[in-house]
Amino acid sequence: MLVADIMHTPVITASRTATIREALELLHRHRIRHLPIVDGEGRLFGIVTDRDLREAVPSRLAVDEALLARLAEPVETIVRREVITTHPGEFVEEAAQLMRQHKIGCLPVIADDAIVGIVTHSDLLSALITLLGVDAPSTRLEVEVPDRVGMIADLTAIFKQQGINIVSLFVYQSPEPGRRRAAIRARTMDPRRLIAAIRAAGFVVRWPKLPDDRPEGGKGPA
Amino acid sequence: MRPSEDAGARETRPLRPPSPEPPSSRSGRTDPPGPNVGAPEPGGKAAPGPDGPPPAPFSPKPWPRPIWPARPVGSGGRAVLIHHPDLIRYRFHDEHPFDQRRLLLVLDLLEALGLVAPEERLAPDPSAWDEEPLLRVHGARYVEAVKAAGRGGRAGTPPLIPGTAGEGTEMAGAGDAAVDEVEAEPHTAPAPFSADDLLDYGLGTEDVPIFPGMHEVAFLTVVGALTGARYIMDHPGHHAVFLGGGLHHAFPHKASGFCIYNDAAVAIRYLLDRYDVRVLYIDTDAHHGDGVQAIFYREPRVMTVSIHETGRYLFPGTGHVTERGEGPAFGTKVNVPLEPFTEDDDYLAILERVLVAAFERFRPDVVVSQHGVDAHRYDPLTHLALSTRAYRAIPRLIHTLADTYAGGRWLALGGGGYDLFRVVPRAWTFLWAEAAHRPLVDAEVPAVFLDRWQKKAPVPLPRRLLDPPFPPIPRRKAIREKNAVVLKRVLEFLR
Ligand SMILES: [Zn+2]
Ligand SMILES: [Zn+2]
């Protein structure tokens, strides 16, 4: 999954000559927390956050001359110039690492010197849900396989032979050395024959259990 | 989409819109009977308290065959059992867990126990219904695909339960002529649907294989649920039970999880269109009621409450507490995902707290409940490990709440249940007995039932309706803690 797949576009930006008041209004109107500032050619000049703006314009009880003057100043007086950015072709996990390391809440996405999108925390969470979540009715199986070439091919061949569609698959470390775990969502409500076939092929199905494995050994009707 | 004008043109007077009155003042409606049913109840009898006067002593009557008159005779009963003999044609093949011939076992056990009076039987009549209510939920193209699949699919396979083939397994009408030629060419469907097209509609998959006449029997199932919906609206305070229904996984454009048409959703949509009522849908199947939830996800007049085994592993994977509806319906979709091996006590305690909160919050006009019985410990597909004690208590709870809050307008549907011999007949016997106001505490399974079915069953049949206590399952504390977190969250949402 790439940054291009999850980024927000188009991006709300402000020109570096915009006033602080205009920047505040943009944040408010679009309910956003990060505002990229661009120069005359549309290149990223810097970024301001809602926090920067709040600090620049302390809240006061009365609207006085000083406040009005502050609001009329150009936003470039408070802009952060050094901005961590990403690229549409970067992997989502790299973008997530960048945001975590630099403790930042958003990444402008830059291609050919122009800002083409923006990625925030909530985009990353959505991506996580898409990757791990359920988007089609399916049963989840967890299978332990030896960490060797071709094991996943052997495993998925069983699904094909059983005529059951795989809707998602990921493979991750097992606490046991030399093994991997495959979490597979299969489009069936009755995984019993599938589980039996996976076991017959020598893999360990960690879940679901078959009725015969249960404490009371309850058997189905057929 | 617009509510169906045609359906609205039928004779029954629509209900008044939902009102904020307390439940006690909402029960005594005296709407006239509809066109499809017998005489109205004698005056005054339609306005009892929560459960009315104690039911008259019931004298068992012999079970006539054929058993289902098209109209109830009189209306002495305060509940109807809706059934049609052709429903048992809803089955896929021998290896498939879903097989509506389980209804034969249920009816047989009810008969052996003398639990259904002749006037309580009601047969759905598919010729009396057009497809409009079906098309309010399912896409026209999808319905065409189901019809095409049923004309071109495989011919029938030998029966799972020996001795039940014969007079009921081949479809009459559509499909008859096609049977011979499709024997030779098993997997093809006539144009304009290729096998791949049908797969896109979920037809011809492992879960929903194609069989001859699948549209006709799936439509009959829908008509059964519609018949129940109309019955409870025409007979204030009466209940309807349709064990052939509750196929809650079907989506508007896709068959899923053994379900072709979503009869529960069609019945609910019909209630909305024709009567403009608020419907509380309660789903106690072991699997999440995903199809019904999805169909009404933005409909604020429908609250869905599904209590099910967590979808972390189990099909369909949805039904998380955070699925709460969208837009104007946010907060009207309730999900209670429970840990495997939750067992009776915790399950029932959680269900009661959630349902009371849901009724209090939503104040429904009508209750539609889905009574899948696949959360039983013997069920081969799931792991909640309930016993028939839960299946005695669930209908009792829903019945009491429906009578108290919704003027007794209660339609109970069937659902999943894959231990055909040991679980389904006993569990649904408790359901019907409750709805018919003849609740059972326990009973011996009559010898006549055992004699008939034991030789066909692969396992010893239980001797009593109530299961003996099962040995406790370890890890109880961890299971209880996780369920408590879920319950707390759900109750917060319902406040
Ligand atoms: Zn009642
Ligand atoms: Zn189920």
Side-chain angles (χ1 to χ4, degrees):
Chain A
M1 194 178 273
L2 303 177
V3 163
D5 299 324
I6 67 161
M7 68 188 188
H8 262 78
T9 182
V11 191
I12 311 296
T13 59
S15 149
R16 57 185 284 197
T17 56
T19 64
I20 289 177
R21 177 200 289 271
E22 286 163 339
L24 272 167
E25 282 169 359
L26 277 174
L27 287 183
H28 214 73
R29 192 175 337 133
H30 298 283
R31 294 193 189 151
I32 49 178
R33 297 225 293 269
H34 308 92
L35 185 64
I37 307 299
V38 294
D39 66 15
E41 275 92 59
R43 284 180 308 225
L44 185 67
F45 176 76
I47 196 162
V48 290
T49 67
D50 57 343
R51 192 138 130 237
D52 300 335
L53 285 161
R54 266 187 278 118
E55 281 166 13
V57 188
S59 55
R60 304 177 195 192
L61 286 175
V63 179
D64 58 18
E65 299 265 314
L67 176 65
L68 290 174
R70 188 78 176 113
L71 284 169
E73 279 177 35
V75 72
E76 65 178 320
T77 58
I78 58 165
V79 74
R80 295 164 188 247
R81 290 303 310 277
E82 52 309 319
V83 182
I84 315 286
T85 64
T86 180
H87 181 270
E90 191 151 48
F91 285 117
V92 165
E93 56 270 34
E94 293 170 37
Q97 279 284 17
L98 273 177
M99 284 166 71
R100 200 172 63 138
Q101 280 170 2
H102 295 273
K103 296 192 171 64
I104 49 178
C106 92
L107 287 174
V109 185
I110 307 295
D112 291 335
D113 273 353
I115 176 161
V116 295
I118 192 162
V119 173
T120 67
H121 276 164
S122 83
D123 298 324
L124 286 173
L125 287 175
S126 302
L128 184 75
I129 290 167
T130 305
L131 283 171
L132 302 183
V134 181
D135 63 351
S138 50
T139 296
R140 175 167 152 164
L141 289 85
E142 212 160 277
V143 185
E144 195 145 275
V145 300
D147 191 2
R148 286 204 310 271
V149 169
M151 284 297 142
I152 296 300
D154 291 352
L155 177 61
T156 52
I158 300 169
F159 288 71
K160 180 177 181 188
Q161 162 215 323
Q162 295 281 326
I164 292 174
N165 197 10
I166 293 176
V167 299
S168 82
L169 160 70
F170 63 93
V171 181
Y172 59 101
Q173 292 170 350
S174 165
E176 282 190 55
R179 306 196 141 257
R180 298 236 139 213
R181 284 186 185 167
I184 304 171
R185 292 214 74 105
R187 190 138 198 169
T188 182
M189 189 154 107
D190 179 7
R192 288 175 296 168
R193 270 193 302 149
L194 181 63
I195 292 168
I198 294 171
R199 284 184 176 170
F203 298 108
V204 176
V205 180
R206 294 175 43 79
W207 191 267
K209 305 283 183 213
L210 287 176
D212 292 347
D213 309 332
R214 296 190 202 166
E216 80 289 355
K219 279 200 171 51
Chain B
M1 290 205 286
R2 293 254 320 115
S4 142
E5 299 302 328
D6 177 55
R10 291 184 216 278
E11 285 164 43
T12 308
R13 202 174 62 195
L15 276 181
R16 59 187 172 168
S19 71
E21 294 167 52
S24 56
S25 66
R26 305 176 70 195
S27 48
R29 293 176 186 171
T30 50
D31 302 36
N36 201 25
V37 291
E41 190 159 54
K45 214 179 146 192
D51 227 340
F58 177 71
S59 49
K61 298 207 173 103
W63 188 277
R65 290 173 193 275
I67 47 182
W68 304 102
R71 288 151 183 267
V73 184
S75 62
R78 298 177 60 232
V80 286
L81 184 60
I82 297 168
H83 181 68
H84 191 290
D86 287 346
L87 284 166
I88 59 170
R89 293 170 181 173
Y90 195 118
R91 48 188 287 267
F92 299 97
H93 57 71
D94 278 4
E95 312 292 311
H96 198 288
F98 190 92
D99 187 334
Q100 282 296 39
R101 283 177 301 175
R102 62 197 179 146
L103 295 174
L104 294 174
L105 282 101
V106 180
L107 295 176
D108 228 36
L109 184 54
L110 289 174
E111 178 188 2
L113 288 164
L115 278 172
V116 193
E119 67 271 19
E120 291 174 321
R121 293 166 191 148
L122 180 58
D125 177 6
S127 70
W129 293 82
D130 59 30
E131 286 180 2
E132 172 141 13
L134 177 70
L135 296 172
R136 291 280 292 131
V137 165
H138 291 285
R141 183 79 180 151
Y142 171 64
V143 172
E144 285 309 310
V146 174
K147 288 178 180 170
R151 284 192 298 264
R154 262 179 297 192
T157 45
L160 169 63
I161 306 173
T164 53
E167 77 274 16
T169 32
E170 320 80 38
M171 285 303 290
D176 266 0
V179 168
D180 281 347
E181 62 187 283
V182 294
E183 280 281 23
E185 217 182 344
H187 282 290
T188 54
F193 293 96
S194 69
D196 275 351
D197 291 339
L198 294 179
L199 276 177
D200 289 342
Y201 289 112
L203 301 165
T205 55
E206 276 291 297
D207 279 10
V208 188
I210 288 163
F211 61 97
M214 65 194 298
H215 165 77
E216 285 73 15
V217 71
F219 184 65
L220 177 61
T221 302
V222 165
V223 169
L226 286 167
T227 303
R230 183 191 278 174
Y231 179 85
I232 58 169
M233 299 312 288
D234 289 348
H235 295 77
H238 288 211
H239 319 311
V241 176
F242 175 51
L243 300 173
L247 305 184
H248 60 166
H249 293 309
F251 281 79
H253 309 284
K254 199 153 190 162
S256 181
F258 315 163
C259 304
I260 302 168
Y261 296 142
N262 199 315
D263 57 281
V266 174
I268 292 168
R269 173 59 70 197
Y270 175 78
L271 288 165
L272 300 182
D273 287 351
R274 181 148 180 227
Y275 302 98
D276 191 26
V277 283
R278 292 158 64 80
V279 181
L280 176 59
Y281 170 79
I282 302 166
D283 187 320
T284 54
D285 195 280
H287 301 94
H288 174 225
D290 57 343
V292 180
Q293 174 181 292
I295 288 162
F296 299 109
Y297 210 55
R298 297 183 60 84
E299 172 54 72
R301 290 175 294 169
V302 178
M303 174 175 273
T304 62
V305 177
S306 180
I307 183 168
H308 45 261
E309 180 177 334
T310 165
R312 277 201 304 276
Y313 293 93
L314 193 72
F315 185 94
T318 46
H320 196 268
V321 284
T322 53
E323 294 164 31
R324 299 178 63 195
E326 259 172 21
F330 184 75
T332 60
K333 306 297 169 277
V334 181
N335 284 290
V336 191
L338 299 179
E339 290 297 300
F341 310 113
T342 289
E343 299 187 280
D344 291 347
D345 289 346
D346 290 10
Y347 181 95
L348 292 171
I350 291 166
L351 181 68
E352 178 167 351
R353 294 198 57 188
V354 170
L355 285 188
V356 168
F359 274 89
E360 269 296 318
R361 168 80 185 261
F362 188 66
R363 302 277 167 153
D365 298 305
V366 181
V367 177
V368 176
S369 53
Q370 195 270 17
H371 294 264
V373 291
D374 46 5
H376 191 279
R377 191 185 276 236
Y378 292 152
D379 196 276
L381 299 187
T382 68
H383 319 84
L384 282 174
L386 304 187
S387 79
T388 52
R389 192 163 68 82
Y391 291 118
R392 184 182 67 180
I394 292 167
R396 175 95 211 126
L397 176 63
I398 294 173
H399 184 186
T400 305
L401 291 168
D403 278 357
T404 308
Y405 286 84
R409 279 182 218 85
W410 175 31
L411 168 61
L413 303 170
Y418 308 102
D419 191 308
L420 312 183
F421 289 94
R422 291 181 299 182
V423 176
V424 177
R426 292 184 302 146
W428 282 348
T429 291
F430 276 124
L431 168 61
W432 166 251
E434 177 63 40
H437 303 95
R438 290 185 286 276
L440 290 167
V441 176
D442 191 10
E444 278 193 26
V445 176
V448 57
F449 179 88
L450 295 173
D451 289 347
R452 187 166 307 146
W453 296 106
Q454 182 60 77
K455 54 185 177 286
K456 290 164 183 159
V459 284
L461 296 182
R463 298 299 154 125
R464 302 197 66 85
L465 295 187
L466 216 52
D467 288 315
F470 288 114
I473 285 168
R475 288 186 55 243
R476 173 117 311 276
K477 186 160 173 287
I479 293 168
R480 189 163 277 171
E481 278 171 9
K482 282 191 179 169
N483 285 338
V485 172
V486 168
L487 175 64
K488 185 161 170 284
R489 233 171 252 170
V490 171
L491 291 178
E492 272 163 19
F493 291 161
L494 279 171
R495 261 212 300 270

